[in-house]
């Protein structure tokens, strides 16, 4: 048989007909007892005359054969359902009125002033409801949305929720198995932790559905499962599943229904190579061996079924299958969505060839940092062009991610390839998955495709676009109401419904400016996107110096300057009259109206330049702290690092270093790295970085320019010695107890030899910066500060960095004059020491930052990884947006400039001579703005970017 029947052709299974003569019937009647005995003792029924042997379970086997080529999908009547299979009895109906709806539907993306009825777990109505709707649907809760934006629930196509749980504890680490590179029989469901603290946080960011993948340690890591994030009455992993296989622990299928899509994780490149000590050649041979095994089983099944369906049972034994390999056999039958972690062109090309060799479709390449450079390769994949699931800007953390580009989403979309933005939670906190779409939009992906990238496109790729990812009648009632346009920075849910059930109890809403209800405008990055392709992901980033000594900036909306120890707005355009700023040799000579600066302009030499900022702004350069920026180029490549400092509590310090155990970061600085220059291009003009350490004593931090070419360039090193840094807390590599660390720190501060860094701290000359997360540890540090001050009779300059639980001690920190650097600025309970976070709106009224500021604590913000330094301007804006007006623009800028400098020991003079950032089309706090220049007093010039 050339083609097995499809689902629509299935009918009743008929047994082969055999002629029976009268004598045979007599013999059968006479020997009935013998026949019954033989029937029960034998696996076959023998039918006389033609000797056809029919297996006992022939009907089931034939049904299985007929289903082998049926493709997954919803039942034919799914669109006519009146109730969701996930409906919870007792859930009332809800009518959302007067909504600005983004539907996800390309036929009509937006509907304004619309009403949406949620009932029985599905969307029953979208449009403009008549008064008779209550008569049709009965009573319901009415929510006046007031014109707010409403979207489908966010779909995270790459998550490790529940298998890489928060907090990270050994007993709940179920991300990867290390039993071998090929493990298609493993399932993320079997390790899904229902107590992950991140579910609630992700829901508060609008995430309603997640594809929970195994990790990427293995070439084939196992099967993934799609879940809804809401808690269930059953409290079980199985109750969270969305369209799982009909029989999860069995290979049998429902003969009356088409199968459901399955999901599976693959990985190529560095991860499996590093875990197993393999090369890429080894990994792909393992792939080919595994797929050859699956193909052979499939071929035996097809041959078996060809005979069985033809009634040729003679010689047929059991149906050929293997529980270990059945999922991979389904892959080569085209019934599994394959999600492949793959970065570089070499790996992408390898995998495309693999799909063609074994003839299976690929759902998506994930991470896929070089896909934008080889779109033609993707289009050669078997049967379909895979989608690409990306980070927006997270790159360069290992060699295969080094050429990642922020312009990849737009470039791929321009080549007709589906783009998905994903979190890889907890690599990125999926609570902020929408931020990935916002960045993709900022760098050139169209607005509708950017929103689709976290809703309808992942739904389609997962094979679930018949029920999630859209606001359509009959779809799951997974809905988010936003406090601003979903592509506006800081957009936060007012409420989230999953299966028609509201998920946030008493949500807290921070009022946003009216302009945030509109789609933001974005800069034109056409030239930069082309350069990304031309230079294969490594376009030149070195700034160019202005040719003229004098620059006249026109159409300026505002000017902010350092006014130690804060930032002040010194000019704001009034009554629609744009301002002028005159810069001479890296210093502002005049700002204000044309009339005010006329004298300065008229005395200029003929060689000056004009630059129209189109409503732009000038503000202090921002400061980065918290990552190894300037000491590390590629996280996964040790040869690109300065290296880690030895821990005096657990390492043997060489005699050569005796008396000089405290290292200086300035000695290991690396300039002109890509993350450093990208930060400079984003208005982060300096960084303060300590030596890298997991031990107690890290060393002395240094302040340096992110735009410098090398250490000897004028202004490259801003301040050799900034602060002394130590780490106190629990760490797998830190064996001494916390009490031992505190005791050692007490000894170092009270008994330090004169002139040593700890002596300078004890005398109040330089700050002590302690990396600590836990409130109890922070409390011990406050007590230690008081003890040292009482002993030395000098005020100790103490700053706590990390500080996930510092809000619990806000009053005490304020009274003790302890500064805090909140790192990261938006909290996540990554470890046990960080579980008591203050998440902020919509879950809590206050954030950690607003709470600390309210108690008089000097607050700065930090980052964890150097690639995110470029987001600093957005981080401070976000902090202000969720403060409900309690953080002004000047105060927001101070969080990442003067506050950080003071907390980290940068002297007044160095701060006041800091760089200024020039933005086009808005202030540095506006998502719409583009950084175009740096005014540098230290260089006595202007850098164009």
């Amino acid at each position: 048989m050339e083609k097995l029947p499809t689902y629509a052709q299935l009918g009743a299974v008929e047994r082969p007909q055999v002629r029976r003569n009268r004598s045979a019937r007599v013999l059968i009647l006479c020997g009935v007892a013998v026949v019954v005995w033989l029937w029960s003792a034998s696996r076959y029924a023998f039918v006389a005359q033609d000797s056809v042997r029919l297996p006992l379970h022939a009907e089931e086997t034939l049904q299985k054969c007929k289903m082998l080529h049926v493709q997954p999908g919803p039942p034919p009547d799914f669109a006519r359902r009146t109730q969701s299979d996930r409906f919870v009895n007792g859930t009332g109906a809800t009518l959302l009125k007067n909504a600005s709806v983004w539907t996800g539907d390309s036929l009509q993306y937006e509907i304004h002033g619309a009403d949406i009825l949620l009932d029985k777990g599905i969307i029953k109505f979208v449009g403009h409801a008549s008064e008779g709707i209550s008569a049709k649907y009965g009573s319901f809760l009415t929510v006046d949305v007031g014109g707010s934006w409403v979207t489908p629930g966010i779909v995270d196509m790459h998550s490790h929720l529940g298998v890489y749980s928060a907090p990270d504890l050994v007993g709940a680490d179920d991300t990867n198995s290390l039993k071998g590179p090929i493990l298609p029989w493993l399932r993320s469901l079997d390790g899904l932790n229902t107590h992950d603290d991140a579910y609630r946080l992700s829901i508060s960011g609008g995430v309603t559905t997640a594809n929970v993948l195994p990790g990427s340690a293995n070439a084939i890591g196992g099967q993934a499962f799609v879940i809804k994030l809401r808690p269930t009455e059953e409290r079980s992993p199985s109750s969270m599943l969305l369209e799982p296989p009909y029989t999860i622990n069995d290979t049998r299928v429902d003969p009356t229904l088409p199968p459901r899509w399955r999901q599976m994780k693959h990985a190529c490149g560095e991860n499996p190579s590093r875990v197993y000590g393999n090369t890429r050649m080894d990994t792909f041979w393992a792939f080919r061996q595994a797929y050859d095994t699956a193909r052979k089983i499939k071929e035996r099944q097809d041959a078996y079924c060809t005979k069985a369906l033809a009634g040729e049972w003679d010689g047929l034994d059991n149906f050929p299958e293997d529980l270990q390999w059945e999922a991979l056999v389904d892959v080569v039958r085209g019934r599994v969505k394959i999600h492949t972690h793959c970065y570089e062109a070499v790996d992408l090309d390898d995998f495309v060839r693999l799909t063609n060799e074994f003839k299976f479709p690929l759902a998506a390449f994930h991470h896929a940092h070089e896909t934008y450079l080889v779109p033609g390769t993707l289009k050669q994949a078997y049967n379909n062009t895979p989608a690409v699931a990306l980070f927006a800007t997270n790159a360069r953390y290992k060699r295969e991610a080094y050429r990642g580009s922020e312009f990849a989403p737009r470039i791929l979309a321009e080549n007709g390839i589906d783009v998905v933005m994903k979190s890889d939670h907890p690599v990125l906190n999926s609570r902020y998955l929408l931020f990935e779409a916002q960045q993709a939009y900022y760098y050139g992906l169209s607005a509708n495709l950017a929103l689709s990238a976290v809703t309808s496109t992942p739904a389609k790729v997962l094979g679930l676009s018949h029920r999630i990812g859209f606001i359509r009648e009959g779809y799951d009632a997974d809905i988010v109401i936003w406090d601003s346009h979903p592509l506006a920075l800081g957009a936060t849910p007012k409420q989230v419904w999953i299966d028609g059930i509201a998920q946030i109890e008493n949500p807290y809403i921070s009022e946003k400016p009216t302009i945030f209800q509109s789609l933001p405008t974005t800069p034109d990055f056409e030239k930069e996107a082309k350069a990304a392709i031309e230079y294969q992901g490594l376009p030149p980033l070195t700034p160019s110096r202005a040719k003229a000594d004098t620059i006249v900036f026109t159409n300026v909306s505002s000017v902010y300057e350092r006014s130690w120890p804060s930032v002040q707005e010194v000019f704001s355009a009034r009554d629609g009259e744009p301002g002028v700023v005159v810069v001479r040799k890296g210093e502002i000579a005049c700002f204000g109206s044309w009339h005010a600066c006329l004298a300065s302009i008229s005395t200029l030499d003929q060689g000056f330049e004009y630059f129209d900022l189109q409503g732009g702004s000038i503000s202090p350069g921002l400061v980065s702290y918290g990552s190894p920026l300037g000491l590390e180029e590629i996280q996964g490549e040790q040869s690109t690092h300065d290296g880690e400092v030895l821990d005096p509590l657990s390492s043997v310090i060489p005699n050569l270093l005796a008396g000089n155990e405290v290292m200086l970061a300035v000695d290991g600085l690396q300039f002109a790295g890509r993350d450093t220059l990208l930060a400079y291009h984003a208005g982060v003009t300096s960084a303060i970085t300590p030596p890298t350490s997991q031990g107690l004593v890290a060393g002395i931090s240094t302040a340096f320019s992110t735009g410098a070419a090398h250490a000897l360039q004028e202004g490259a090193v801003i301040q050799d010695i900034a602060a002394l840094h130590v780490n106190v807390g629990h760490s797998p590599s830190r064996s001494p107890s916390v009490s031992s660390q505190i005791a050692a720190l007490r000894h170092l501060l009270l008994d330090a030899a004169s002139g040593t860094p700890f002596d300078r701290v004890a005398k109040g000359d330089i700050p002590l910066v302690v990396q600590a997360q836990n409130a109890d540890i922070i409390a011990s540090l406050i007590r230690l500060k008081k003890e040292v001050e009482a002993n030395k009779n000098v005020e100790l300059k103490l700053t706590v960095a990390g500080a996930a639980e510092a809000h619990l001690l806000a009053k005490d920190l304020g009274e003790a004059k302890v500064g805090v650097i909140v790192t990261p600025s938006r909290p996540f309970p990554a470890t046990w020491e960080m579980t008591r976070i203050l998440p902020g709106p919509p879950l809590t009224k206050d954030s950690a930052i607003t709470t600390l500021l309210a108690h008089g604590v000097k607050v700065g913000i930090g980052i964890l990884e150097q690639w995110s330094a470029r987001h600093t301007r957005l981080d401070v804006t976000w902090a202000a947006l969720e403060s409900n007006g309690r953080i002004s623009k000047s105060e927001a800028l101070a969080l990442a400039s003067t506050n950080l400098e003071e907390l980290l020991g940068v002297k007044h003079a160095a701060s006041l001579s800091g760089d200024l950032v020039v933005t086009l089309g808005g202030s540095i706090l506006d998502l719409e703005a583009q950084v175009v220049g740096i005014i540098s007093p230290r260089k006595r010039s202007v850098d164009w970017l």
Side-chain angles (χ1 to χ4, degrees):
M1 183 177 293
E2 293 183 3
K3 184 178 179 182
L4 297 178
T6 64
Y7 168 78
Q9 295 172 308
L10 292 181
V13 178
E14 297 182 0
R15 295 176 180 269
Q17 297 296 309
V18 182
R19 292 179 57 201
R20 297 177 174 84
N21 57 33
R22 181 174 299 177
S23 60
R25 289 198 298 270
V26 172
L27 289 172
I28 291 171
L29 290 172
C30 293
V32 65
V34 175
V35 172
V36 169
W37 180 83
L38 288 173
W39 186 281
S40 62
S42 172
R43 299 177 59 208
Y44 295 98
F46 293 89
V47 184
Q49 188 167 347
D50 288 349
S51 300
V52 175
R53 300 194 304 165
L54 191 64
L56 181 61
H57 301 295
E59 185 171 353
E60 181 180 338
T61 300
L62 287 169
Q63 195 64 258
K64 179 179 290 187
C65 286
K66 289 187 176 184
M67 292 292 292
L68 282 183
H69 287 206
V70 177
Q71 287 300 293
D77 61 349
F78 186 85
R80 297 191 297 275
R81 65 178 179 156
T82 58
Q83 178 176 307
S84 171
D85 53 315
R86 295 182 51 80
F87 173 65
V88 176
N89 289 327
T91 302
T94 301
L95 178 65
L96 308 180
K97 292 186 65 65
N98 190 26
S100 298
V101 181
W102 186 86
T103 65
D105 195 329
S106 60
L107 296 176
Q108 186 178 10
Y109 276 117
E110 295 183 10
I111 305 174
H112 293 275
D115 306 323
I116 307 172
L117 180 67
L118 315 178
D119 189 29
K120 302 297 184 184
I122 63 176
I123 299 171
K124 287 294 184 77
F125 175 84
V126 181
H128 298 92
S130 65
E131 294 182 0
I133 194 169
S134 58
K136 182 176 180 181
Y137 291 100
S139 62
F140 44 74
L141 172 68
T142 299
V143 178
D144 189 345
V145 176
S148 294
W149 285 95
V150 176
T151 70
I154 290 176
V155 180
D156 190 354
M157 200 172 80
H158 187 134
S159 176
H160 303 294
L161 271 168
V163 293
Y164 193 157
S165 300
D168 182 14
L169 296 170
V170 173
D173 183 3
D174 287 290
T175 318
N176 289 292
S177 170
L178 302 180
K179 296 298 189 294
I182 303 295
L183 302 168
W185 44 86
L186 299 187
R187 306 179 302 181
S188 65
L189 172 65
D190 297 327
L192 192 67
N193 175 17
T194 58
H195 303 295
D196 189 335
D197 286 355
Y199 291 125
R200 175 172 172 261
L201 296 172
S202 296
I203 290 171
S204 76
V207 180
T208 57
T209 304
N211 184 31
V212 179
L213 295 157
S216 53
N218 304 298
I220 302 181
Q223 299 162 52
F225 285 79
V226 180
I227 64 170
K228 292 282 190 84
L229 270 58
R230 71 169 174 85
T232 64
E233 292 181 358
E234 297 88 340
R235 300 189 181 95
S236 68
S238 296
S239 64
M240 299 174 72
L241 297 179
L242 179 63
E243 294 204 354
Y246 290 109
T247 49
I248 296 174
N249 277 351
D250 203 323
T251 59
R252 290 176 296 180
V253 296
D254 187 332
T256 67
L257 296 170
R260 289 168 167 172
W261 282 109
R262 305 170 76 177
Q263 318 287 330
M264 186 179 289
K265 175 71 175 291
H266 287 23
C268 45
E270 293 183 27
N271 282 24
S273 292
R274 291 185 183 192
V275 170
Y276 293 101
N278 288 338
T279 65
R280 284 174 165 80
M281 295 181 289
D282 295 314
T283 299
F284 269 89
W285 174 240
F287 271 129
R288 295 181 70 207
Q289 280 185 310
Y291 272 98
D292 189 51
T293 299
R295 178 172 59 182
K296 288 175 179 176
I297 295 173
K298 173 186 177 294
E299 289 171 349
R300 290 200 299 272
Q301 290 176 349
D302 290 345
Y304 181 99
C305 287
T306 297
K307 290 185 176 181
L309 290 168
E312 300 172 3
W313 293 97
D314 194 30
L316 289 183
D317 201 346
N318 293 329
F319 181 78
E321 57 187 341
D322 187 322
L323 184 60
Q324 274 195 307
W325 295 100
E326 61 84 20
L328 204 62
V329 174
D330 249 7
V331 173
V332 294
R333 292 197 181 281
R335 305 204 294 191
V336 181
K337 298 286 189 176
I338 297 298
H339 302 269
T340 300
H341 160 123
C342 224
Y343 285 79
E344 288 189 272
V346 58
D347 299 313
L348 299 167
D349 185 65
D350 285 346
F351 207 89
V352 165
R353 284 188 281 103
L354 187 75
T355 69
N356 285 295
E357 180 179 5
F358 294 97
K359 294 180 172 50
F360 65 92
L362 172 64
F365 280 121
H366 290 236
H367 303 309
H369 282 57
E370 291 190 16
T371 48
Y372 73 100
L373 296 174
V374 290
T377 298
L378 272 60
K379 294 179 180 181
Q380 295 172 22
Y382 178 77
N383 195 55
N384 69 287
T385 299
V388 178
L390 297 161
F391 294 130
T393 51
N394 185 0
R396 294 167 297 283
Y397 45 87
K398 52 184 173 177
R399 192 198 67 84
E400 63 188 5
Y402 196 65
R403 295 174 186 267
S405 172
E406 61 269 40
F407 304 109
R410 68 176 286 171
I411 294 169
L412 289 164
E414 288 166 357
N415 281 274
I417 295 173
D418 286 337
V419 173
V420 173
M421 308 309 296
K422 46 81 177 159
S423 74
D424 194 13
H425 180 96
V427 172
L428 297 183
N429 181 358
S430 63
R431 178 183 180 184
Y432 304 114
L433 177 53
L434 185 62
F435 182 44
E436 298 300 291
Q438 292 165 357
Q439 293 174 80
Y441 167 66
Y442 176 75
Y443 289 111
L445 186 64
S446 73
N448 288 322
L449 288 183
L451 286 175
S452 296
V454 292
T455 54
S456 53
T457 304
K460 180 180 75 171
V461 176
L462 291 168
L464 294 167
S465 59
H466 56 281
R467 66 182 299 168
I468 62 172
F470 298 85
I471 293 182
R472 292 172 175 166
E473 292 179 10
Y475 275 59
D476 286 13
D478 299 345
I479 299 288
V480 184
I481 303 176
W482 300 94
D483 66 0
S484 49
H485 191 287
L487 290 179
L489 181 67
T492 302
K494 290 183 173 182
Q495 186 55 273
V496 178
W497 281 266
I498 302 179
D499 300 323
I501 303 171
Q503 296 298 303
I504 305 174
E505 186 177 355
N506 300 320
Y508 294 90
I509 300 167
S510 183
E511 294 299 324
K512 303 288 179 64
T514 304
I515 193 173
F516 277 72
Q517 300 303 322
S518 301
L519 178 69
T521 58
T522 58
D524 181 3
F525 287 112
E526 184 70 25
K527 182 178 70 173
E528 290 84 351
K530 288 181 179 178
I533 299 173
E534 178 185 355
Y535 292 95
Q536 297 190 60
L538 302 176
L541 296 174
T542 304
S544 60
R545 184 163 295 191
K547 296 178 181 178
D549 285 341
T550 302
I551 312 294
V552 178
F553 293 101
T554 63
N555 200 5
V556 180
S557 65
S558 60
V559 177
Y560 295 86
E561 287 188 338
R562 286 175 170 84
S563 178
W564 188 270
S566 62
V567 173
Q568 290 186 356
E569 184 180 37
V570 296
F571 170 78
S572 179
R574 305 297 182 193
D575 302 323
E577 181 182 359
V580 174
V581 176
V582 180
V583 175
R584 185 180 290 121
K585 293 186 177 181
E587 300 275 0
I588 292 181
C590 178
F591 60 81
S593 65
W594 273 102
H595 182 267
C597 290
L598 187 60
S600 296
I601 296 172
S602 63
T603 61
L604 297 178
D605 297 332
Q606 294 298 314
F608 62 85
E609 297 179 39
Y610 280 103
F611 196 110
D612 182 358
L613 291 187
Q614 302 172 29
S617 179
I618 294 174
S619 56
L622 301 176
V623 181
S624 181
Y625 171 77
S627 78
L629 191 67
L631 293 179
E632 178 181 297
E633 180 68 358
I634 304 174
Q635 183 181 357
E637 296 289 343
Q638 291 295 319
S639 64
T640 71
H641 299 192
D642 171 53
E644 285 200 6
V645 172
L646 295 173
D647 181 8
L649 287 186
S650 59
S651 304
V652 177
I653 305 298
N655 293 333
L656 185 64
L657 296 177
N660 296 286
E661 293 89 351
V662 178
M663 301 296 108
L664 305 178
V666 68
D667 294 333
L669 278 180
Q670 304 171 14
F671 287 86
R674 294 200 70 79
D675 283 318
T676 310
L677 287 172
L678 285 167
Y680 192 67
H681 279 250
V684 178
T685 60
S686 65
I688 303 169
T689 302
T692 303
S693 173
Q694 297 296 317
L696 175 64
V697 181
I700 299 288
S701 58
T702 187
F704 66 96
S705 168
T706 56
H710 53 79
L712 300 181
Q713 189 178 58
E714 187 175 13
V717 178
I718 298 168
Q719 189 171 308
D720 286 26
I721 295 176
L724 174 61
H725 295 255
V726 300
N727 304 300
V728 178
H730 300 278
S731 169
S733 63
R734 191 184 299 128
S735 54
S737 65
V738 169
S739 54
S740 298
Q741 296 167 47
I742 296 290
L745 190 55
R746 178 182 293 109
H747 168 69
L748 290 168
L749 289 169
L750 294 177
D751 303 320
S754 179
T756 62
F758 280 98
D759 178 58
R760 294 188 63 187
V761 167
K763 290 177 178 178
D765 291 342
I766 61 175
L768 177 67
V769 181
V770 184
Q771 179 74 21
Q773 303 286 2
N774 175 262
D776 299 307
I777 294 174
I778 296 172
S780 294
L781 294 171
I782 293 173
R783 291 196 301 269
L784 179 61
K785 179 181 189 290
K786 293 177 180 179
E787 181 182 347
V788 174
E789 288 174 339
N791 185 282
K792 299 289 185 178
N793 200 27
V794 174
E795 183 176 305
L796 189 72
K797 298 176 181 177
L798 176 62
T799 297
V800 177
E805 296 184 354
H807 60 279
L808 297 172
L809 301 170
K811 180 175 179 292
D812 305 278
L813 289 164
E815 291 174 349
K817 297 182 180 179
V818 177
V820 171
I821 303 175
V822 179
T823 309
S825 58
R826 295 181 295 281
F828 181 72
T831 67
W832 186 257
E833 295 178 311
M834 304 165 71
T835 52
R836 294 175 289 181
I837 63 168
L838 191 64
L843 296 177
T844 60
K845 178 182 178 181
D846 298 309
S847 68
I849 293 173
T850 58
T851 300
L852 291 164
L853 288 173
H855 287 85
V857 179
K858 180 73 71 172
V859 178
I861 65 163
I863 61 172
L864 296 176
E865 296 179 285
Q866 58 266 37
W867 62 267
S868 63
R870 68 192 304 181
H871 293 163
T872 302
R873 72 185 187 95
L874 305 180
D875 291 340
V876 296
T877 303
W878 206 319
L881 286 171
E882 67 177 13
S883 75
N884 209 15
R886 287 172 288 175
I887 299 177
S888 68
K889 290 183 178 181
S890 293
E891 290 168 331
L893 290 170
L895 291 172
S897 58
T898 54
N899 285 14
L900 271 182
E901 289 167 337
E902 182 179 356
L903 292 170
L904 294 168
V906 175
K907 293 180 172 59
H908 297 188
S911 175
L912 291 172
S913 65
D915 296 337
L916 295 169
V917 177
V918 183
T919 52
L920 178 73
S923 80
I924 196 171
L925 299 175
D926 297 325
L927 178 65
E928 299 91 332
Q930 180 181 4
V931 176
V932 293
I934 306 294
I935 301 169
S936 179
R938 298 187 185 103
K939 297 179 183 178
R940 297 189 294 279
S941 66
V942 173
D943 280 346
W944 297 125
L945 304 176

